[in-house]
Amino acid sequence: MIKFKCLTGRRQGQVFELKGDCVVLGRGKDCAVCLDDEACSRYHARIVEVGGAYIITDLDSTNGVRVNGKPEKEARLTIGDGFVLGRSTFVFLSESGGPEGEDDSPQIENTVTLESVRKLCAQMGSADIEELRRVHGMMQAAYRLGQALSATLDGDDIYTLIAQQIFENFPAAERVCLFLRRKEDVGLELVRNVSRTKGEDAPVSRSLLRSVEAEQVAILASDASCDERFAAAESVVIQGLRSLMLVPMVARNKFVGALYVENSTRPACFKKVDLELLALLGTQAAFAVQNAFLYEDLQVSFYETIRSLSNALEAKDKYTHGHSGRVARYAVGIARELGLDEERLERLRTAAELHDIGKIAIPEAIIAKKGKLTNEEFAAIKRHPQLGVEILRPIRFLTPTLPFILHHHERYNGGGYPSGLKGRDIPLEARIINMADAFDAMTTQRPYNTPMTFQEALERCRKAGGSFDPACVQALGAYLAKGTWAQRVAEAPAAVPAEAQPVGQPGA
């Protein structure tokens, strides 16, 4: 019988006593232990009993298996061992009884008394005890980092946690740098540079980084300023660095990055045992970072799939072909006039490109209908902002854009949908998209209208009875006055098809 207890996670406190000699854990409904945890794989890990020994094996899961704080592909479990799957932590317990048909009382083969422990300690030297303390401390540090990292797949959170844990474990550290390689064909990127001292930080030696990557060895310097190994490292010599450590981050035999720790003023701050601990933490961090990269790639792939679906939807209708791209260009033009910074501009551009994604869930017969919509059909159309949000919600990096997509049909006077928001209660980006969306509809051929010129559409927006934010209308006019349509098309990433081009534009 295999027995373990869940310490953290959605099944916290539950004790599992499972008959047989093989148990599979994961999100799959057919697993012996089904974990309702999105951080777990469908078939995450397997525990088997072989000749009285218990072995846990990672079944090529996304987030891996940690045993006593250390990532493992396969490891032996003994009583009291902790293991982590996704966001759930377990402790392995003794077998509840012997084979079927035998007495259920435990078969005690040996006992350890407190007196025998005291005698053993008396026989150990101070060096032995100190070594045990050191190893115990390292395992505790690794366990704390593993627990913290297992709670998130967000890259920024992981980088921050790594830096925090290093400062906690190395009081002498004045500066911590985290270098990562996201793609094989690009160089190392400094993603975290945290310093406890004032003043400008000098660059980390690139020659040291290249050496750590090429040889995958850890570097320790008690006084780097007079260490012959660093004579070729100009930045080390110039800065007069004293104590430093640099370790590679390797996961699944792949170089992921490097951890750098320094004290620029005091020599001999770090010892060999510190380097060993930093190397251990670096290995754990490497697996967490690699998993975050995989998750980010998955998110981007999902996003690109959604974009492809949106483009395919527009391609079916000659009247809306290129609509989202034009709305995005108008929206960014308006936003620049209003003084939004680059980060907000990029979020706005993304939201504008995806503002109608919810229409992929609306029946095509309604989308392509040329006549007037019935009340029921219009009600279905009005659901597309909410449907779009539900489609995009799983993509974490799109979360900040969801309010703009949800409210892009709100009216400044409160007459829009889905929430009937009014004035400044509507997010600014949503007001901008609403303006750009309506303007494009007015100036392109649609089944229900003849296209207007830019001047006619702009004038209609000004007299729309408060439907649009006056500041957005004014910004749109300023943007349109700055160049011809032909110039803007030439600058755009995709051309507007002839059948959907605005007509009668200035300078066209």
Side-chain angles (χ1 to χ4, degrees):
M1 181 174 287
I2 298 174
K3 184 177 180 181
F4 50 90
K5 181 178 181 179
C6 184
L7 300 180
T8 64
R10 294 182 179 174
R11 305 191 73 168
Q12 181 176 358
Q14 185 171 349
V15 176
F16 299 89
E17 298 184 60
L18 304 160
K19 294 182 179 181
D21 57 5
C22 180
V23 173
V24 176
L25 303 88
R27 284 192 298 110
K29 301 298 183 183
D30 53 343
C31 290
V33 177
C34 181
L35 302 174
D36 184 16
D37 182 350
E38 60 273 14
C40 281
S41 298
R42 184 177 178 185
Y43 303 109
H44 200 105
R46 177 179 61 236
I47 301 175
V48 297
E49 187 267 331
V50 182
Y54 297 92
I55 308 295
I56 186 169
T57 303
D58 181 6
L59 300 178
D60 293 325
S61 64
T62 301
N63 293 321
V65 174
R66 290 184 176 86
V67 179
N68 296 327
K70 183 179 179 181
E72 297 281 6
K73 290 299 292 182
E74 188 170 272
R76 181 171 178 173
L77 291 176
T78 57
I79 297 170
D81 281 342
F83 58 97
V84 178
L85 311 179
R87 296 189 177 92
S88 300
T89 304
F90 302 87
V91 61
F92 194 73
L93 305 174
S94 61
E95 190 176 17
S96 60
E100 292 183 4
E102 294 185 6
D103 184 7
D104 286 338
S105 61
Q107 303 298 309
I108 300 177
E109 296 181 359
N110 197 4
T111 60
V112 178
T113 65
L114 184 58
E115 183 61 28
S116 65
V117 172
R118 286 174 180 156
K119 289 181 179 179
L120 178 62
C121 290
Q123 295 170 3
M124 295 175 63
S126 58
D128 296 324
I129 295 175
E130 187 60 33
E131 177 65 12
L132 284 176
R133 287 175 178 168
R134 182 183 73 82
V135 173
H136 180 253
M138 289 178 63
M139 294 305 296
Q140 281 188 318
Y143 180 75
R144 287 195 299 270
L145 179 60
Q147 285 288 90
L149 295 178
S150 67
T152 181
L153 284 170
D154 182 78
D156 284 336
D157 290 345
I158 288 173
Y159 309 153
T160 299
L161 286 169
I162 292 170
Q164 288 175 347
Q165 287 291 318
I166 291 176
F167 278 125
E168 286 181 13
N169 286 284
F170 302 101
E174 291 182 342
R175 180 187 179 195
V176 173
C177 296
L178 173 60
F179 294 88
L180 296 179
R181 167 165 289 137
R182 295 178 181 273
K183 304 291 182 182
E184 291 188 4
D185 56 345
V186 298
L188 285 172
E189 176 187 358
L190 177 61
V191 299
R192 276 295 180 278
N193 180 14
V194 187
S195 178
R196 286 174 168 168
T197 60
K198 295 181 180 180
E200 185 176 351
D201 291 321
V204 177
S205 168
R206 288 288 164 178
S207 61
L208 290 185
L209 290 171
R210 286 193 295 269
S211 176
V212 165
E213 178 181 2
E215 301 174 24
Q216 293 195 6
V217 294
I219 294 176
L220 169 67
S222 296
D223 194 345
S225 61
C226 57
D227 193 320
E228 293 182 359
R229 293 177 300 167
F230 308 124
E234 293 183 5
S235 59
V236 174
V237 176
I238 293 172
Q239 296 170 53
L241 290 177
R242 310 304 294 271
S243 302
L244 68 83
M245 295 187 291
L246 182 62
V247 300
M249 297 168 60
V250 179
R252 302 178 181 95
N253 297 319
K254 183 177 180 180
F255 180 80
V256 176
L259 280 174
Y260 173 83
V261 181
E262 75 172 30
N263 184 301
S264 61
T265 56
R266 292 164 45 205
C269 287
F270 310 119
K271 301 178 181 178
K272 183 180 178 181
V273 294
D274 296 315
L275 187 67
E276 291 174 354
L277 176 56
L278 185 63
L280 176 60
L281 298 181
T283 298
Q284 274 204 299
F287 278 91
V289 167
Q290 194 175 70
N291 289 337
F293 285 171
L294 292 172
Y295 182 69
E296 183 179 312
D297 290 343
L298 182 63
Q299 295 266 298
V300 171
S301 178
F302 189 16
Y303 169 67
E304 293 299 332
T305 300
I306 296 297
R307 285 286 307 274
S308 297
L309 288 173
S310 177
N311 294 337
L313 178 70
E314 288 190 1
K316 290 182 178 181
D317 186 352
K318 68 178 182 179
Y319 296 110
T320 59
H321 189 80
H323 167 68
S324 294
R326 293 193 301 275
V327 170
R329 290 194 289 276
Y330 291 141
V332 170
I334 294 169
R336 287 193 190 280
E337 295 297 325
L338 293 175
L340 272 65
D341 60 39
E342 288 301 319
E343 183 177 355
R344 292 183 71 179
L345 286 177
E346 284 307 308
R347 289 179 177 175
L348 173 64
R349 187 194 311 275
T350 300
E353 290 174 342
L354 297 172
H355 74 283
D356 276 342
I357 191 64
K359 288 183 178 179
I360 66 176
I362 306 296
E364 188 175 344
I366 297 178
I367 298 293
K369 186 174 179 178
K370 295 184 178 181
K372 185 177 180 180
L373 297 177
T374 66
N375 290 338
E376 292 78 11
E377 290 168 337
F378 186 56
I381 286 287
K382 288 170 67 175
R383 292 187 61 231
H384 80 268
Q386 292 126 305
L387 293 171
V389 168
E390 292 305 313
I391 291 170
L392 300 174
R393 195 183 302 279
I395 309 177
R396 182 177 296 181
F397 73 83
L398 292 181
T399 298
T401 71
L402 299 186
F404 316 151
I405 295 170
L406 179 63
H407 297 297
H408 79 272
H409 274 293
E410 305 285 1
R411 296 293 187 182
Y412 199 68
N413 58 13
Y417 60 88
S419 304
L421 299 183
K422 184 177 182 179
R424 294 185 178 272
D425 290 339
I426 308 169
L428 174 58
E429 286 85 346
R431 284 179 264 154
I432 292 173
I433 295 174
N434 174 254
M435 174 82 264
D437 189 24
F439 184 79
D440 186 65
M442 294 177 197
T443 55
T444 54
Q445 183 68 54
R446 298 292 177 93
Y448 49 80
N449 75 291
T450 301
M452 302 179 183
T453 65
F454 275 17
Q455 294 92 332
E456 291 170 342
L458 195 57
E459 190 61 28
R460 182 171 178 176
C461 292
R462 292 188 179 115
K463 299 177 179 179
S467 292
F468 307 110
D469 182 346
C472 292
V473 178
Q474 184 177 354
L476 175 61
Y479 165 64
L480 295 175
K482 285 187 173 180
T484 66
W485 173 256
Q487 289 173 332
R488 287 192 296 277
V489 168
E491 296 168 357
V496 179
E499 64 268 22
Q501 281 190 14
V503 297
Q505 309 312 331

